[in-house]
Amino acid sequence: MDIEPVSILFFNSSKIFLILSSPLLLSILFIGLIISIFQTVTQINEQNLSFFPKIISLIFILFFLGSWMIQILVNYMQDILTNIIILGLN
């Protein structure tokens, strides 16, 4: 068994994971930063204050980019299955 197809599969799956998770993680990062700056300025130390805006931003990001994310996953799975079936990579 050759290690090259496994390493290529690992690299491509890692790349797809980073592409799909980056909009969600970056939105949470920026919302958390904005809320923490607001809490620092106003001296409000409530832990739940940052939770709800993060959830709402995740819902909006998934609503607007969900079809794009699903399309990338479908294309990636079709590519994997094509390589397994046609090229016979086991």
Side-chain angles (χ1 to χ4, degrees):
M1 179 172 177
D2 194 18
I3 194 135
E4 184 179 351
V6 176
S7 63
I8 290 172
L9 181 65
F10 177 73
F11 174 74
N12 289 338
S13 61
S14 299
K15 184 174 68 170
I16 294 295
F17 171 74
L18 288 175
I19 289 171
L20 293 180
S21 65
S22 61
L24 300 172
L25 294 175
L26 289 176
S27 70
I28 289 176
L29 175 75
F30 288 129
I31 294 294
L33 182 66
I34 291 169
I35 296 297
S36 67
I37 290 172
F38 175 74
Q39 285 179 336
T40 302
V41 169
T42 60
Q43 295 181 353
I44 298 174
N45 292 326
E46 182 63 34
Q47 296 296 325
N48 294 333
L49 184 63
S50 67
F51 180 72
F52 294 112
K54 288 179 185 179
I55 294 296
I56 291 171
S57 71
L58 278 180
I59 291 171
F60 280 131
I61 293 292
L62 285 175
F63 179 74
F64 288 115
L65 297 179
S67 62
W68 172 74
M69 291 176 173
I70 290 174
Q71 187 63 40
I72 286 180
L73 280 175
V74 166
N75 290 340
Y76 180 64
M77 286 305 296
Q78 286 175 348
D79 185 42
I80 287 176
L81 291 176
T82 302
N83 286 337
I84 290 174
I85 293 172
I86 292 177
L87 299 177
L89 297 176
N90 292 330

